[in-house]
DNA sequence: AGTATATTAGAGGATATATTCTAATTAATC
DNA sequence: GATTAATTAGAATATATCCTCTAATATACT
């Protein structure tokens, strides 16, 4: 019933993510997104209440996708060797979802989840952060039991190191396959030394 | 001669960097900087031609400072062990110059060096990039001679890994001393494995 | 003291962009 | 085929903020 939309919600957000990856959140204007997606500005407001909501949706869509992969990988990290393998979700995600990786990696969360974003969106961001914190605590307890710096070291190893490694290549290029071995070696060393 | 300025150029840029670190480049408005620095908007335009120039100056001041430290450190990296020590400039800079580290670490260069920035500023950015590229090539030739992936691995080890490690703590906190050992171990492994 | 000059001071115009609003379109349902 | 509902379509308005402009002010030099 009713006229069919000429673009799906997912495709609209994907187009917006591409704009955000290319131009950054500041230049991700309604006009720019509407042009990139090939829909009039009014159609965007038909689906989303505001620009702040659009920016939040871009970031949350990317973050939820990445976090689903990351938490699944971390759950399997029962040894330092397995953790080194799990850390490779980050370069793999960057290769599979370049624009979303740039959104997550090259900008601060606060530039997408702004003070003006509707509460619903802010709540999703809070939930994501809490889930990640919990997963990191569990992983740290398994990998480095008894180490008072366990959480900190696990975060540096499983998140910081792979993030920094892919950032050398983003946003212009895609991280080459070969760095995976470098990342794995670095993660092992950071957890084991 | 003439009325004395109530804030130096350096202090103005430092105040602006603090705003940028806190709110991001998009919300680093002339009004916000003028309020933070305690000077009227007209005074800012008396010194800088435009907002684009101000944003560029914020980034360039931070980048030039960091790069001076980094290139000096990399020049001493004649062994993998020395390189692991050199990589610690990144956490040290983050501790000594928190706001500038956040500017460099948590945002893309393009959000500060915009298309509208005066040519003079763009030229400084180009020069910085060229100097860094050259220093990395030299360092790679010393550390990993004959390795076809030498430049890539050196960049990941000396830039990517420490950058990612400090990013776990920025912008809210300062990276703790203790992660230096984790970074050094990771850098050694990335270069040596 | 008087003059020249650099800077402060902040109100006002110009511009960019978010948002709203009315009408036109298109498909499913009766 | 008429009706209804969802969406397109884009012009018009509101708002934010950059930048300009005129006047006032404070120091150094003569």
């Amino acid at each position: 019933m009713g006229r069919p939309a000429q673009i799906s919600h997912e495709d609209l957000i994907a187009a917006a993510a591409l704009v955000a990856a290319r131009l950054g959140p500041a230049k991700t204007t309604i006009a720019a997104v509407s042009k990139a997606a090939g829909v009039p500005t009014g159609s965007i407001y038909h689906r989303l209440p505001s620009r702040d909501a659009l920016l939040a949706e871009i970031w949350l869509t990317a973050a939820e996708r990445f976090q689903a992969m990351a938490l699944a990988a971390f759950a399997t990290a029962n040894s330092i060797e397995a953790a080194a393998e799990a850390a490779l979700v980050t370069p793999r995600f960057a290769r599979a979802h370049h624009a979303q990786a740039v959104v997550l990696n090259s900008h601060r969360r606060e530039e997408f989840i702004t003070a003006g974003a509707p509460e619903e969106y802010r709540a999703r961001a809070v939930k994501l952060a809490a889930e990640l914190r919990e997963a990191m605590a569990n992983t740290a307890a398994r990998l480095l039991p008894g180490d008072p710096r366990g959480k900190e070291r696990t975060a540096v190893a499983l998140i910081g190191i792979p993030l920094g490694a892919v950032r050398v290549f983003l946003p212009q290029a895609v991280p080459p396959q070969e760095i995976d071995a470098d990342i794995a070696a670095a993660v092992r060393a950071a957890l084991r030394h």
Side-chain angles (χ1 to χ4, degrees), chain A:
Chain A
M1 42 172 120
R3 180 175 181 172
Q6 53 180 40
I7 190 173
S8 69
H9 176 78
E10 286 72 27
D11 287 350
L12 174 63
I13 300 305
L18 215 59
V19 173
R22 246 198 264 286
L23 308 179
K27 295 210 171 160
T28 302
T29 62
I30 298 292
V33 171
S34 115
K35 189 182 167 191
V39 301
T41 62
S43 296
I44 294 176
Y45 280 96
H46 185 74
R47 292 148 186 250
L48 294 153
S50 66
R51 175 175 181 261
D52 285 331
L54 171 64
L55 287 176
E57 187 66 46
I58 292 170
W59 192 90
L60 288 168
T61 301
E64 284 164 357
R65 182 178 220 166
F66 172 71
Q67 191 149 312
M69 285 176 60
L71 295 197
F74 294 168
T76 70
N78 290 312
S79 66
I80 287 179
E81 192 48 41
E85 168 66 24
L88 302 182
V89 284
T90 297
R92 284 180 187 139
F93 182 84
R95 288 181 202 113
H97 309 290
H98 186 262
Q100 293 188 318
V102 172
V103 164
L104 295 179
N105 194 326
S106 300
H107 298 282
R108 277 191 24 213
R109 179 178 145 278
E110 289 78 20
E111 300 219 48
F112 285 94
I113 312 292
T114 67
E119 184 48 37
E120 167 200 354
Y121 296 85
R122 304 179 63 78
R124 279 165 70 190
V126 169
K127 187 182 167 207
L128 273 178
E131 283 178 0
L132 180 61
R133 223 187 337 275
E134 192 198 336
M136 289 307 299
N138 290 341
T139 307
R142 274 178 281 129
L143 291 178
L144 299 171
D147 185 339
R149 292 188 54 245
K151 277 169 71 172
E152 184 176 299
R153 284 176 66 192
T154 305
V156 167
L158 293 190
I159 296 184
I161 288 174
L163 205 69
V166 303
R167 202 175 198 280
V168 169
F169 303 93
L170 298 180
Q172 287 88 6
V174 161
Q177 245 339 305
E178 290 82 8
I179 68 163
D180 285 13
D182 304 329
I183 294 172
V187 169
R188 266 182 230 112
L191 291 173
R192 195 174 272 154
H193 78 98

